[in-house]
Amino acid sequence: GIQVEQSPPDLILQEGANSTLRCNFSDSVNNLQWFHQNPWGQLINLFYIPSGTKQNGRLSATTVATERYSLLYISSSQTTDSGVYFCAVLTTDSWGKFQFGAGTQVVVTP
Amino acid sequence: GAVVSQHPSRVICKSGTSVKIECRSLDFQATTMFWYRQFPKQSLMLMATSNEGSKATYEQGVEKDKFLINHASLTLSTLTVTSAHPEDSSFYICSARRGGTYEQYFGPGTRLTVT
């Protein structure tokens, strides 16, 4: 099956800093989503981005499908950005089942 | 839009009892729902795929007689953990796929503790 690798595994940021999270995948995908899991466990959809670039406030994401990677940018980080960021992908033969990466644990300090 | 609810949010039960968890899509129809389990500091692991009106399909290593799934309508799927044991303690998360798309939306999760 498809492999999904996220880096870095852990990230500590000072409030106001910018950062980039990466997601590499080993096969073509129909769907790629970025999620933020807050400290209470809720998974929040950030982006549905199988290709191209999207922006939503301080967050933006770019997926280069031909090179099999996606990037999530966090600008001017805030303490509320703390949590785990997951990348998840769907392939044509996955029957709609997401394959999740291991996640990036982000801690933003005041 | 695209809200998924789960109930209960937290449950504590004694070993040997059964627990039912509900997953509802509140503002869209979901022909397919998914059940995940997440252990502390780990990623989400898919347990089963629930299709409305048909039997669930389970991932390898997941006991279908222990984790009973029912998808009775386009907005409701239930997971019943039968004869729960302490090793079943985990965070259970459901997701619902909006019909006609690849997008999935996740519920807030249910934290199960078996004593």
Side-chain angles (χ1 to χ4, degrees):
Chain A
I2 191 169
Q3 304 298 313
V4 182
E5 294 181 354
Q6 289 187 243
S7 59
D10 298 280
L11 192 58
I12 300 176
L13 301 169
Q14 195 147 24
E15 202 167 23
N18 303 328
S19 63
T20 302
L21 283 58
R22 188 176 180 102
C23 173
N24 291 333
F25 43 96
S26 61
D27 203 349
S28 300
V29 299
N30 283 334
N31 179 18
L32 185 147
Q33 286 185 239
W34 283 98
F35 299 92
H36 174 216
Q37 188 171 38
N38 65 24
W40 296 272
Q42 172 75 65
L43 274 165
I44 310 294
N45 280 299
L46 297 178
F47 295 102
Y48 164 72
I49 188 165
S51 63
T53 297
K54 290 186 178 180
Q55 180 155 7
N56 185 2
R58 296 180 297 102
L59 300 180
S60 63
T62 295
T63 296
V64 183
T66 53
E67 296 187 23
R68 298 182 183 167
Y69 72 89
S70 183
L71 302 174
L72 178 70
Y73 305 96
I74 305 174
S75 64
S76 302
S77 58
Q78 300 177 359
T79 56
T80 51
D81 295 330
S82 295
V84 183
Y85 290 80
F86 289 105
C87 158
V89 302
L90 284 176
T91 61
T92 51
D93 60 351
S94 65
W95 298 94
K97 298 185 289 187
F98 269 130
Q99 179 65 47
F100 275 79
T104 293
Q105 173 82 55
V106 173
V107 175
V108 181
T109 60
Chain B
V3 178
V4 176
S5 70
Q6 272 185 250
H7 178 81
S9 59
R10 185 181 296 264
V11 58
I12 301 172
C13 70
K14 291 186 183 298
S15 189
T17 61
S18 296
V19 174
K20 180 184 284 189
I21 303 169
E22 291 187 349
C23 176
R24 291 181 186 273
S25 57
L26 299 185
D27 52 0
F28 66 98
Q29 292 187 334
T31 52
T32 305
M33 291 182 173
F34 303 87
W35 287 95
Y36 296 83
R37 183 164 51 183
Q38 185 180 31
F39 291 108
K41 304 291 186 185
Q42 293 187 22
S43 188
L44 281 73
M45 295 299 296
L46 181 67
M47 299 174 65
T49 302
S50 167
N51 293 296
E52 187 266 339
S54 64
K55 289 184 179 180
T57 55
Y58 292 80
E59 296 301 299
Q60 194 169 10
V62 177
E63 300 174 57
K64 60 182 179 182
D65 293 331
K66 182 170 184 61
F67 299 100
L68 301 178
I69 290 172
N70 185 282
H71 195 153
S73 76
L74 287 172
T75 59
L76 174 64
S77 176
T78 60
L79 168 69
T80 301
V81 183
T82 62
S83 187
H85 291 286
E87 56 266 31
D88 298 324
S89 299
S90 188
F91 192 55
Y92 292 86
I93 306 174
C94 73
S95 73
R97 186 169 70 189
R98 189 199 293 266
T101 77
Y102 287 116
E103 296 181 50
Q104 289 187 33
Y105 298 89
F106 285 76
T110 296
R111 193 163 304 280
L112 170 64
T113 303
V114 185
T115 61

